[in-house]
Amino acid sequence: MSRQIIINSCIREKRAAIKENNNLIDIMFERDTYDQIVYNIYKGRVKDVLPGMQAGFVDIGLEKNAFLHISDVYPLLSNKQEKKWRKNELSIKEVIQPGQKIMVQVVKEPIGTKGPKVTCKVTLPGRYLVLMPFENRTGISRRINNNKERNRLKDIAEELIKDKYGVIVRTNTEGKPKKIIENDFNFLLHLWNNIWKDYKKADTPSLIYKDAELIKQIVRDYLSPEVNKIVIDDEEEYEKLNQLAEKSVPGSEHKIQLYKRTTPIFDTYQVENEIEKLWKRKVWLESGGYVIIDNTEALVSIDVNTGKFTGKKNLQDTVFKTNVEAAVEIARQLRLRDIGGIIIIDFIDMSIEQNKKEVLRVLEEELAKDRTKTAMLGLTQLGLVEITRKKVREELGELFQKDCPYCKGTGLVRSETTMAMDIIRELKSISNEENVAAILIELHPDVASVLIGAGGDKLAELEEELDMDIYIRGNNEYHIENYEIISKGTKKDLKRMALPVNEGEKYEVYIEDTHLHNEDDGIARIKGYIIIVKNGGHLKEETVEVEIREVHRTFAKAKLV
């Protein structure tokens, strides 16, 4: 297995890509406009206690108060309260009161209109251990399968904590000698002691501890024997990375390389095009099949399709292979897009029971590679696969995109015909309520075409119906859903304003395109007014001098000078 870490360090943003066998499996971002607060520790003040919700709200100095559920107040419980809590008889108001000062750690970023979620169960991740200062237990990573090794690590951990703390032994601790694990524990213990001292003397509310920035996270969480190479394109960050690696993973410095080429690093390692795909709804599979990923308020739905893949044997074989490939890709997309919450997958129907089991096995195996807690709940009665994935922050798409200001998140805009009908209704209203002889409208050319009709017949019909002259000016800079009534007035005044050219006059114009119905002619515009340039089609994207020969309501004809 080949694993690479590619780091792009820009002025206001850092990005790190994790590639395995040349496939992108994880992506991390750090921006100066986005402050990640997950795992930060705060000294907060309880603002409200809501017994009906078994929760409280804590002021930690952010715009929105943090949500604290009774399940997260365990470190604050007395022995008596703990007994009641285990029997589900404890009320939140017995544990916290308004005005109380408490230490909390953020476990979920603010999402949408909700504030952050916090816990009193503080955890401090190290390279090999996770320290739990307020607990007294030992956990071993489920990815360590060897029972003998699990027992060895448990013995080491329990000897270190001496019934005073709790620890979780991380996956990359497997095979490590006791001394290295002990050093990591001592580092975390020293860190915790400093946090506790800072907490006691800090104002309320205030930030006590901020989680590691991107470069430190990479060394702590990703630098392992499986990594063959780390490439970074910033000399200062390269030096910092080397120093951190030398302290944390001695001997790994030779894997770190400084990228010096002029081509952007993410282009060279084909990461940029992979990131671009993360914004798309449709994800193509190598076979020619594809999956569709749709986000809603309640859940994320994923649909699998065979697409262009026809297979070589029979329909069931084609469906099975598409579903297996989709299972691998879906698990990867969940990680890359950081999709959380309820996820429903609609695989292509399979009639062979063994094929169903194999697809679910592959999906479960791929989901197990995820660092974020993910659970597969099996098939629903409708044959859909249900998954839950812990959501700790906004999904990648929500962080780097926003709802379209035109479609408001629907993904659709109104058609040219619909917009034309809207304009006609407004014109009719103006005709009924105002004494207007002529009107000038500016709008998108595609909507203008619908209003004018072939040869201007629709516009003539509309003018007769409304008893007014209607001047239409197309403008490519307008969004298809936008239009503007530029002016209303007399026929004489509007004609002078709407028709910016006169017969016999010469003008310099830019040939934008060829005429839709006659490619020999070119199309130019003066203040949005269309000029048809006879025999100007071959001069597309050139500026030429023309003489106006005919002037009409919606266009003029000209010849090349």
Side-chain angles (χ1 to χ4, degrees):
M1 179 183 71
S2 170
R3 180 172 286 193
Q4 298 175 332
I5 301 175
I6 317 301
I7 305 170
N8 169 222
S9 182
C10 293
I11 296 170
R12 300 181 62 182
E13 179 186 59
K14 292 187 184 73
R15 303 182 295 173
I18 318 297
K19 299 194 77 174
E20 193 173 279
N21 296 330
N22 215 31
N23 291 318
L24 185 66
I25 63 166
D26 211 344
I27 186 82
M28 301 162 69
F29 292 85
E30 184 177 270
R31 283 182 170 178
D32 66 352
T33 55
Y34 171 62
D35 187 20
Q36 297 187 59
I37 64 170
V38 167
Y39 308 126
N40 286 1
I41 299 173
Y42 293 85
K43 184 175 185 177
R45 178 181 286 108
V46 178
K47 296 294 287 184
D48 298 296
V49 180
L50 307 176
M53 294 176 63
Q54 284 287 64
F57 287 92
V58 184
D59 177 11
I60 59 174
L62 301 181
E63 183 180 347
K64 295 175 182 175
N65 291 333
F67 179 81
L68 175 66
H69 190 258
I70 192 170
S71 60
D72 288 303
V73 299
Y74 181 79
L76 304 178
L77 303 183
S78 65
N79 291 336
K80 185 178 178 181
Q81 288 174 334
E82 185 181 340
K83 289 177 183 178
K84 291 181 70 176
W85 178 68
R86 293 188 185 282
K87 293 179 182 179
N88 204 27
E89 297 174 352
L90 185 68
S91 171
I92 188 74
K93 64 181 181 180
E94 296 178 58
V95 188
I96 57 173
Q97 294 81 36
Q100 182 178 343
K101 298 174 183 179
I102 56 174
M103 178 186 287
V104 292
Q105 184 173 39
V106 177
V107 291
K108 184 184 285 188
E109 299 265 1
I111 297 175
T113 58
K114 296 180 180 178
K117 184 181 180 185
V118 295
T119 181
C120 296
K121 301 175 184 176
V122 172
T123 59
L124 294 174
R127 178 160 175 78
Y128 302 108
L129 302 172
V130 177
L131 179 66
M132 300 179 288
F134 296 122
E135 299 189 47
N136 182 7
R137 65 183 179 89
T138 301
I140 309 290
S141 169
R142 54 190 169 86
R143 295 182 186 176
I144 300 176
N145 301 316
N146 186 292
N147 287 331
K148 185 177 179 182
E149 177 63 4
R150 291 178 67 88
N151 291 332
R152 182 185 77 90
L153 293 173
K154 186 175 181 180
D155 289 342
I156 293 172
E158 290 181 346
E159 184 183 334
L160 291 172
I161 62 177
K162 296 183 174 67
D163 292 330
K164 292 182 180 179
Y165 305 99
V167 292
I168 296 172
V169 179
R170 304 186 70 178
T171 306
N172 59 352
T173 315
E174 187 171 12
K176 296 297 182 292
K178 179 183 176 182
K179 185 62 179 175
I180 287 181
I181 302 171
E182 187 177 1
N183 288 343
D184 197 46
F185 176 77
N186 290 335
F187 166 77
L188 293 173
L189 194 58
H190 178 71
L191 176 62
W192 167 244
N193 288 333
N194 286 336
I195 290 171
W196 185 248
K197 288 176 186 175
D198 291 342
Y199 170 77
K200 287 193 288 186
K201 64 184 181 184
D203 295 331
T204 310
S206 60
L207 173 65
I208 304 299
Y209 166 78
K210 186 171 180 60
D211 191 37
E213 47 89 23
L214 185 66
I215 298 297
K216 289 182 180 178
Q217 282 185 45
I218 289 167
V219 173
R220 184 187 70 194
D221 299 335
Y222 289 93
L223 185 53
S224 65
E226 289 76 31
V227 173
N228 307 98
K229 181 168 67 174
I230 303 179
V231 190
I232 186 167
D233 60 0
D234 181 272
E235 192 163 357
E236 189 176 330
E237 296 294 333
Y238 166 77
E239 295 296 340
K240 183 194 294 185
L241 187 58
N242 262 304
Q243 290 171 12
L244 288 168
E246 187 179 0
K247 290 179 182 177
S248 302
V249 196
S252 64
E253 307 92 282
H254 69 279
K255 297 180 179 180
I256 302 171
Q257 299 175 13
L258 177 63
Y259 182 84
K260 296 181 178 180
R261 293 170 59 182
T262 54
T263 307
I265 188 170
F266 269 24
D267 287 343
T268 298
Y269 287 92
Q270 299 178 329
V271 175
E272 206 68 69
N273 58 348
E274 286 285 338
I275 293 174
E276 283 299 312
K277 292 176 185 177
L278 298 182
W279 318 134
K280 298 185 184 300
R281 177 172 172 259
K282 180 183 285 189
V283 180
W284 287 99
L285 306 173
E286 286 189 11
S287 64
Y290 61 88
V291 298
I292 296 289
I293 302 175
D294 283 318
N295 287 56
T296 69
E297 286 288 331
L299 51 82
V300 174
S301 67
I302 301 177
D303 186 43
V304 182
N305 297 273
T306 54
K308 304 171 186 175
F309 182 48
T310 56
K312 295 182 179 179
K313 294 182 180 179
N314 52 50
L315 178 60
Q316 279 302 312
D317 181 66
T318 301
V319 167
F320 173 61
K321 287 181 177 177
T322 303
N323 281 340
V324 168
E325 190 179 357
V328 176
E329 185 59 31
I330 287 168
R332 188 175 81 102
Q333 289 294 326
L334 295 182
R335 294 195 303 271
L336 290 174
R337 299 179 188 222
D338 205 5
I339 293 173
I342 299 170
I343 300 140
I344 301 294
I345 306 172
D346 186 7
F347 285 106
I348 308 166
D349 288 340
M350 294 173 285
S351 58
I352 301 173
E353 196 62 33
Q354 187 58 39
N355 286 356
K356 291 181 184 178
K357 291 179 180 178
E358 179 61 16
V359 169
L360 293 179
R361 185 198 67 76
V362 170
L363 179 60
E364 194 164 24
E365 186 179 274
E366 293 300 314
L367 291 175
K369 299 175 182 178
D370 201 335
R371 286 175 170 268
T372 300
K373 188 177 180 181
T374 306
M376 192 170 79
L377 306 180
L379 288 166
T380 68
Q381 290 182 336
L382 297 174
L384 307 173
V385 178
E386 187 176 358
I387 294 172
T388 61
R389 188 172 187 272
K390 187 176 180 181
K391 189 165 188 172
V392 297
R393 60 177 64 85
E394 297 272 19
E395 293 172 14
L396 205 62
E398 294 168 335
L399 289 174
F400 290 87
Q401 296 174 299
K402 68 173 187 176
D403 281 349
C404 170
Y406 301 105
C407 73
K408 307 299 182 186
T410 66
L412 302 168
V413 292
R414 299 162 89 185
S415 68
E416 296 89 344
T417 302
T418 300
M419 285 307 304
M421 297 305 109
D422 283 354
I423 293 169
I424 289 171
R425 281 190 286 273
E426 181 166 354
L427 292 176
K428 190 171 183 180
S429 177
I430 291 170
S431 174
N432 291 336
E433 297 173 8
E434 303 177 41
N435 184 22
V436 175
I439 195 166
L440 170 61
I441 307 169
E442 191 164 13
L443 70 176
H444 191 279
D446 291 349
V447 182
S449 296
V450 176
L451 278 173
I452 294 167
D457 57 331
K458 296 294 182 184
L459 181 61
E461 185 182 306
L462 185 61
E463 288 179 321
E464 185 177 348
E465 173 76 21
L466 301 180
D467 190 26
M468 69 166 71
D469 285 357
I470 302 170
Y471 292 90
I472 295 176
R473 183 186 292 169
N475 188 338
N476 276 310
E477 292 185 3
Y478 272 70
H479 186 274
I480 202 163
E481 290 186 342
N482 289 357
Y483 66 91
E484 186 178 0
I485 294 175
I486 302 297
S487 185
K488 307 171 192 173
T490 65
K491 294 184 178 184
K492 184 178 180 182
D493 289 342
L494 264 293
K495 183 177 182 181
R496 189 184 306 114
M497 178 184 294
L499 303 179
V501 298
N502 296 306
E503 288 184 13
E505 292 182 348
K506 296 177 182 179
Y507 301 88
E508 275 198 350
V509 297
Y510 176 75
I511 307 292
E512 297 176 2
D513 210 339
T514 55
H515 193 287
L516 182 63
H517 303 297
N518 183 358
E519 292 187 356
D520 290 339
D521 295 344
I523 295 293
R525 294 177 199 273
I526 296 177
K527 296 181 180 178
Y529 180 72
I530 295 172
I531 311 293
I532 299 174
V533 182
K534 188 172 179 60
N535 298 322
H538 70 289
L539 297 171
K540 181 180 175 181
E541 299 181 354
E542 290 186 29
T543 300
V544 298
E545 188 177 10
V546 298
E547 181 182 323
I548 305 298
R549 304 305 300 247
E550 298 176 27
V551 178
H552 300 272
R553 183 75 54 76
T554 56
F555 67 94
K557 291 184 177 180
K559 70 172 186 177
L560 294 165
V561 174

